[in-house]
Amino acid sequence: MAKTNPLLQFGNVPVSAAMLESCFPELDAPNKKVRALEKNGDIIRLKRDLYVVSQEISGKEICIPLCANHLYGPSYVSLRWALRWYGLIPERVFRMTSMTTRHARLFETPLGVFDYHRVPGNYLGIGIKMQQENDTTFLIATPEKALCDMILLDKHVPNQSVKRLVQYLEEDIRFDMDALADFDVKIIEECAEYGGKKLIFNNLIKILKQ
């Protein structure tokens, strides 16, 4: 009977080198086995001491947002990547964007570029959810929070008037304005309280209430 590949137990969830080494207790140097698995393409290194099993071995598609959650945390997927995932902006996004309470970081990996932006601790937990896709669960901003994160980080968001903010949404980021009808205004009110840019967030609330 063929021996089951011990890597299958991890599925598509990122794992540490120590967990991978524990799969080979019979070896004198399991760390060398881990390096050999990486060289062979059986596992993919996200950063030092963090790997994900390749799709060819696990049989499961690698979940990029789940990798983002594990790569640098606490964090959640947001900004343009999340807005595109929800279908709220038309442009394709090639960089995974996340928010964190830690220092801003950028990771270049075989799976792509992962970009992290810093926000205040009492702002981080507002408007995020666990999203399930293809039997995999990851942490992502709600549509409301993803838009608020965009406003928070973009230095060019106009604060003069509601009219200028509408212009920014429609022309600068080409946001689906019809989707605003389903937005939860309470999330934006919380972001206004803890995230800064209160005047702009209040203008966004006015747009929602029109």
Side-chain angles (χ1 to χ4, degrees):
M1 181 179 294
K3 187 177 180 180
T4 302
N5 190 327
L7 298 179
L8 292 176
Q9 64 184 295
F10 302 120
N12 61 357
V13 178
V15 293
S16 67
M19 293 181 68
L20 291 169
E21 291 174 11
S22 70
C23 295
F24 309 99
E26 73 283 1
L27 299 180
D28 293 331
N31 60 317
K32 292 184 178 179
K33 178 64 174 179
V34 171
R35 290 197 295 270
L37 289 170
E38 181 187 359
K39 185 176 181 180
N40 194 50
D42 294 341
I43 59 175
I44 299 167
R45 186 159 70 101
L46 300 175
K47 66 176 182 178
R48 183 179 179 181
D49 197 41
L50 187 68
Y51 299 82
V52 65
V53 178
S54 70
Q55 182 174 337
E56 289 73 17
I57 297 298
S58 69
K60 292 186 175 182
E61 182 178 354
I62 293 176
C63 181
I64 302 299
L66 178 62
C67 290
N69 292 167
H70 282 259
L71 185 57
Y72 196 62
S75 66
Y76 62 89
V77 175
S78 188
L79 301 168
R80 289 189 180 274
W81 193 94
L83 292 176
R84 170 63 180 177
W85 191 82
Y86 287 121
L88 296 174
I89 59 174
E91 286 80 14
R92 294 181 64 188
V93 179
F94 298 98
R95 177 174 294 194
M96 171 57 68
T97 48
S98 300
M99 311 299 281
T100 181
T101 54
R102 298 171 68 184
H103 293 296
R105 287 287 302 274
L106 186 142
F107 297 86
E108 295 184 3
T109 79
L111 300 180
V113 178
F114 294 77
D115 199 359
Y116 296 82
H117 300 269
R118 189 177 187 179
V119 293
N122 52 7
Y123 174 87
L124 187 81
I126 301 168
I128 55 178
K129 66 176 184 176
M130 297 300 297
Q131 179 67 47
Q132 186 168 356
E133 185 180 46
N134 298 329
D135 298 323
T136 302
T137 303
F138 56 90
L139 196 61
I140 186 172
T142 58
E144 297 90 343
K145 183 64 176 298
L147 180 58
C148 286
D149 289 343
M150 279 286 299
I151 290 173
L152 189 63
L153 292 186
D154 192 340
K155 297 178 181 179
H156 304 291
V157 181
N159 60 10
Q160 302 95 326
S161 66
V162 170
K163 182 179 180 180
R164 286 287 292 114
L165 182 57
V166 169
Q167 185 178 5
Y168 166 81
L169 295 173
E170 291 181 336
E171 300 179 10
D172 291 13
I173 66 173
R174 299 176 64 195
F175 190 83
D176 179 4
M177 300 299 286
D178 291 337
L180 293 176
D182 298 321
F183 269 31
D184 184 349
V185 69
K186 293 181 180 179
I187 293 176
I188 299 170
E189 289 172 344
E190 287 189 72
C191 290
E193 182 175 355
Y194 295 108
K197 293 194 174 182
K198 194 163 188 175
L199 177 59
I200 301 176
F201 285 134
N202 284 337
N203 283 340
L204 179 59
I205 292 169
K206 291 176 182 178
I207 295 172
L208 264 62
K209 291 183 174 180
Q210 286 179 350

